[in-house]
Amino acid sequence: MIVCRSCKTSLVAWFYWFVDNFFERIFVEHQQHRISLPVLQANFPTTGKFKNGPWKGQEEIMSFIAGNGASIIESPTGTGKTAVEYAFLKASELRGAKLCFLIAPNKTIVDQISQEFPELKVVLGRHEYDCLHPLYKDKVPLPLADEIPCLMLDCPHRVDQTTGQIQEEGATPCPYYQAKFEAKQGNVVVSTMAFYLFTTLFSKDGEATGALVIDEAHRIAEVVRNCLSYEITDFHLRQSIKLLRHINAEEVKVIGKFLGNMKKIAKKKADRRGVLLDPPEIRRLISILEEIDSNALLAKIKQAIKERVINPREDMTTLKRLEVLVRDLRRYVHSFEYSLETDQRKPLNYTCAYYQQEVEKGKKTQHKLVIKCYYVAPLIRKILPPLTVSFSATIGNPEIFGYETGIRSPSLSLDSSFPVDNTRIYLPKDTPDLSVNNRSKRDLTQILRKIAKACKRFSKKGIRCLVVTISNIEREKFLMLATEEGVNAISYGNGVTAKEAAQQFKDGQGQVLVGTAANYSEGIDLPRQTAPVIFFLRPGYPNPKDPSTIFEERRFGGQRWALWNWRVMQQALQVRGRNIRRFSDTGVTFFISQQFKRILFGALPDWLQKSYRNQFTFEEALTDAEKLLE
């Protein structure tokens, strides 16, 4: 091939230009997903307990993030991870990232973070804001934003999410939409995982951008599953049918047919605990829902409200349920579809039916469908920007964590500088195995009474305790035995929430705080010797009759035990950490059931294994704990 000299020169120049620019672009994109250590250090907080600079563990975390970009950090309690989270996001903001989010599982943790760093913007879910719509302005208390059929109403307070303009000039901006708009305008935002999920996953902007920190990252799969799961009850469908008949909507026939089929399926299953639906049953429900044009139905309802055929004040609750049904109809259909196995994949969701032969007093639901979103890893990956750092005190096996959450990044597991001699982890050698197949009828009552007596023994020395059970039945049995033993136990129920009970205990009421792992394994901090003794009854393995357990058995077979063990190991570590929140704390944890023997020591990080004691009887462990705590 002949090429003239001038063309050849141009081609060579073009080639070198292309190579230079190609590698420069790759380098720039690579660097955009990292932040240098000097920049992280420059944005580290310099006041309060950090006025003398970062601690050793914090330096180690920042060095790891600087070297790897997206990272998974297992950082024990007391290592100051929130300050590193703050430094990372402030540095990202400085680098030009518009959306910088710090997300946590619940409002309690969001509040804790915002108290430590009050300059951060805080935005919460709809259920945390009052609705200002004129229709409901005289209601006491004001309804919350998520109780209102917002999409079906024109509202003078609504804030345009593109421009920030209020729909009616001079009106007070809707607190929820205003917070949501401000969150998109830059700066560092701290929010719940649920808010971030719905803002990002269902955004029209496409993939997530900016920088993200996930606090308590081991919980994100659970949060996403709960957010994307649905419940359809016969009561709410009947209320919707009644309302649609009032406006002569032809869709009432389809919803009636769906209700009839749902009741037939649920009654056939005849189990209040829930039973998985078979593929033909799921396909039948899908085919019925596909007959509804959701946009047309929404337009009819809006028109009926406009013409005052429907009173949105009187029918607020039913309209809200109908709004959810109409808005989420496509999602319902997809959720049903994902409950089916295909040639390419196993089921990603599962659908179960509940039936109660007799409606309980005060209840209005007899038949119910629950669609549980299960395999959420791809959805989580979708909402993560390239620069995502995940923090937790209990990551455990990174492979299983990655399967559960979809987060697969370089990981760092940090040792704690907490003085390990200040804590003990007891697994007494003479306590029973409380697994359903191995325990006797008297084992549970006998060991709960022993725990109640131990709590009384500690209380005489001014030492208070936390007792964590798995089931409510166990919690109630312990409360009864504690009363018999003369122990002042605080718990929830009778109008008192778990959070309120915990606060009463923190304020000094009671000798023992009692609750299930669902309420007290996480999210409750008892530092400064509030409850230096913890009793954890047994690991929370899934109920074999629960639909989710049956689904996982079908999906994973024998491999399900690796996942179940990982979950109970994380739960055990979280329970242990409730009373050890800072270097000055001293505390012990008693793991009661011999089921823990298989998993407990292996779950402990290396630095904490020195505190493990399994050679003592229950009585000997109590004596050893008293010596440590004195």
Side-chain angles (χ1 to χ4, degrees):
M1 185 174 69
I2 300 173
V3 181
C4 75
R5 184 176 296 174
S6 61
C7 290
K8 186 175 180 180
T9 303
S10 298
L11 284 171
V12 171
W14 177 85
F15 174 76
Y16 281 112
W17 173 87
F18 172 79
V19 170
D20 286 345
N21 279 272
F22 175 78
F23 284 106
E24 181 181 355
R25 189 176 77 250
I26 294 295
F27 177 77
V28 168
E29 288 178 354
H30 181 68
Q31 291 303 310
Q32 284 177 343
H33 298 163
R34 294 191 184 188
I35 298 175
S36 69
L37 183 57
V39 175
L40 286 170
Q41 291 169 329
N43 285 276
F44 192 83
T46 56
T47 56
K49 57 186 175 183
F50 305 118
K51 62 184 178 182
N52 296 322
W55 303 335
K56 180 183 175 182
Q58 293 169 327
E59 285 282 9
E60 194 173 343
I61 296 171
M62 289 192 288
S63 295
F64 190 83
I65 294 172
N68 293 279
S71 307
I72 299 169
I73 310 294
E74 185 174 55
S75 176
T77 300
T79 50
K81 62 182 172 62
T82 311
V84 180
E85 294 171 348
Y86 173 87
F88 169 74
L89 290 172
K90 293 300 285 186
S92 299
E93 181 189 19
L94 187 67
R95 287 280 301 274
K98 184 178 179 183
L99 297 177
C100 298
F101 270 86
L102 197 173
I103 62 175
N106 52 51
K107 181 176 179 285
T108 301
I109 300 176
V110 168
D111 288 343
Q112 290 171 1
I113 294 169
S114 65
Q115 286 170 15
E116 189 169 357
F117 298 103
E119 67 269 34
L120 301 183
K121 287 183 181 179
V122 176
V123 59
L124 303 170
R126 294 174 66 93
H127 59 285
E128 299 291 346
Y129 298 94
D130 290 335
C131 175
L132 304 181
H133 196 285
L135 281 169
Y136 313 107
K137 64 182 180 180
D138 57 341
K139 275 185 173 285
V140 180
L142 284 173
L144 300 176
D146 68 337
E147 297 174 335
I148 300 299
C150 193
L151 295 180
M152 296 181 176
L153 303 172
D154 289 327
C155 180
H157 303 282
R158 185 169 288 135
V159 178
D160 187 288
Q161 292 301 289
T162 303
T163 65
Q165 295 294 314
I166 305 167
Q167 185 158 319
E168 188 175 292
E169 189 175 349
T172 304
C174 167
Y176 169 69
Y177 279 114
Q178 183 66 26
K180 189 175 179 181
F181 173 76
E182 289 179 0
K184 299 174 184 177
Q185 306 313 303
N187 302 122
V188 179
V189 176
V190 56
S191 77
T192 58
M193 290 176 180
F195 174 85
Y196 182 80
L197 169 71
F198 285 112
T199 301
T200 308
L201 186 60
F202 305 120
S203 169
K204 298 177 182 178
D205 300 330
E207 294 184 357
T209 58
L212 174 67
V213 165
I214 308 174
D215 195 77
E216 304 289 349
H218 66 281
R219 292 193 57 191
I220 192 168
E222 171 200 352
V223 171
V224 173
R225 284 190 187 113
N226 290 336
C227 287
L228 299 182
S229 296
Y230 304 94
E231 184 178 286
I232 307 175
T233 70
D234 54 354
F235 172 72
H236 292 119
L237 286 176
R238 287 197 304 271
Q239 295 295 103
S240 298
I241 288 170
K242 182 179 177 182
L243 195 67
L244 292 176
R245 277 190 181 138
H246 188 58
I247 63 173
N248 298 316
E250 58 189 27
E251 289 83 359
V252 72
K253 296 178 181 177
V254 182
I255 296 177
K257 184 163 66 170
F258 183 89
L259 173 60
N261 276 268
M262 185 188 90
K263 290 169 67 175
K264 187 177 179 181
I265 291 169
K267 198 168 185 178
K268 186 175 80 172
K269 301 294 183 184
D271 194 329
R272 62 186 295 170
R273 292 170 303 199
V275 179
L276 292 176
L277 268 63
D278 301 322
E281 295 167 335
I282 295 172
R283 291 191 182 97
R284 192 186 319 154
L285 294 174
I286 290 173
S287 65
I288 296 171
L289 284 180
E290 285 178 335
E291 296 177 29
I292 298 177
D293 182 338
S294 56
N295 292 329
L297 180 55
L298 186 60
K300 289 177 186 177
I301 297 169
K302 284 184 173 181
Q303 186 63 28
I305 293 173
K306 189 176 181 180
E307 295 173 356
R308 302 184 184 277
V309 179
I310 294 177
N311 186 328
R313 182 182 169 91
E314 293 178 3
D315 298 315
M316 181 182 81
T317 303
T318 301
L319 272 174
K320 179 61 186 177
R321 290 286 177 175
L322 196 53
E323 178 192 75
V324 171
L325 177 67
V326 174
R327 183 192 64 201
D328 293 339
L329 196 56
R330 185 171 295 176
R331 246 186 283 169
Y332 282 140
V333 173
H334 288 321
S335 295
F336 279 129
E337 288 173 343
Y338 290 143
S339 298
L340 297 170
E341 185 170 352
T342 69
D343 294 337
Q344 290 77 36
R345 58 161 175 79
K346 290 187 175 183
L348 304 180
N349 295 348
Y350 64 89
T351 304
C352 50
Y354 294 78
Y355 172 70
Q356 207 157 317
Q357 195 164 5
E358 293 184 9
V359 181
E360 294 179 12
K361 187 176 181 181
K363 305 284 185 180
K364 299 177 181 178
T365 296
Q366 188 173 16
H367 310 82
K368 180 169 68 175
L369 282 182
V370 176
I371 307 162
K372 294 292 286 186
C373 186
Y374 180 83
Y375 186 53
V376 296
L379 296 176
I380 294 173
R381 281 197 297 269
K382 184 178 178 181
I383 65 173
L384 303 183
L387 198 52
T388 296
V389 180
S390 306
F391 286 84
S392 174
T394 54
I395 294 292
N397 186 323
E399 284 299 313
I400 300 178
F401 173 78
Y403 176 80
E404 272 275 88
T405 64
I407 303 172
R408 299 182 184 274
S409 302
S411 61
L412 169 69
S413 183
L414 220 63
D415 284 343
S416 176
S417 54
F418 175 80
V420 73
D421 290 338
N422 286 10
T423 188
R424 296 284 188 276
I425 296 170
Y426 299 109
L427 178 53
K429 61 184 180 182
D430 60 342
T431 53
D433 181 336
L434 294 175
S435 59
V436 175
N437 294 331
N438 293 322
R439 72 188 184 196
S440 70
K441 290 183 178 179
R442 300 179 63 187
D443 279 345
L444 181 62
T445 301
Q446 286 178 344
I447 194 61
L448 286 174
R449 188 177 293 278
K450 273 190 175 183
I451 295 171
K453 288 180 176 180
C455 291
K456 185 174 183 179
R457 173 174 165 175
F458 280 121
S459 69
K460 288 179 179 179
K461 296 178 179 291
I463 299 170
R464 302 164 82 212
C465 305
L466 168 67
V467 175
V468 181
T469 66
I470 292 298
S471 71
N472 260 316
I473 292 174
E474 294 163 345
R475 179 182 71 93
E476 290 166 0
K477 184 181 282 287
F478 177 82
L479 288 170
M480 179 189 71
L481 295 170
T483 301
E484 290 178 6
E485 296 297 331
V487 178
N488 182 7
I490 297 286
S491 194
Y492 41 87
N494 297 322
V496 178
T497 67
K499 185 177 179 180
E500 289 168 345
Q503 190 57 54
Q504 289 172 7
F505 185 73
K506 289 181 183 181
D507 291 341
Q509 296 184 38
Q511 298 164 329
V512 184
L513 176 65
V514 187
T516 63
N519 286 301
Y520 290 157
S521 66
E522 296 187 49
I524 171 177
D525 294 343
L526 302 171
R528 296 177 180 154
Q529 310 312 108
T530 305
V533 177
I534 298 174
F535 294 94
F536 188 19
L537 188 63
R538 63 182 176 90
Y541 283 107
N543 186 327
K545 295 182 179 179
D546 191 88
S548 62
T549 310
I550 297 168
F551 174 79
E552 290 184 334
E553 286 177 343
R554 292 178 183 177
R555 199 173 199 280
F556 303 118
Q559 294 179 335
R560 67 189 183 277
W561 283 103
L563 183 61
W564 291 350
N565 283 331
W566 180 81
R567 288 176 185 162
V568 298
M569 288 161 77
Q570 306 313 303
Q571 186 180 66
L573 291 175
Q574 287 290 335
V575 170
R576 188 215 68 85
R578 293 310 91 209
N579 58 6
I580 303 292
R581 310 306 295 172
R582 60 195 73 217
F583 296 148
S584 57
D585 290 335
T586 304
V588 302
T589 306
F590 290 81
F591 291 88
I592 301 300
S593 175
Q594 292 302 306
Q595 294 166 276
F596 284 114
K597 190 180 292 184
R598 296 194 302 269
I599 61 159
L600 184 56
F601 186 76
L604 301 177
D606 293 343
W607 66 271
L608 195 53
Q609 289 179 354
K610 298 173 185 175
S611 67
Y612 182 71
R613 302 287 188 275
N614 67 340
Q615 74 274 28
F616 295 144
T617 64
F618 186 70
E619 179 64 28
E620 289 168 344
L622 293 176
T623 302
D624 188 71
E626 286 173 333
K627 290 178 182 177
L628 174 70
L629 296 174
E630 286 172 356

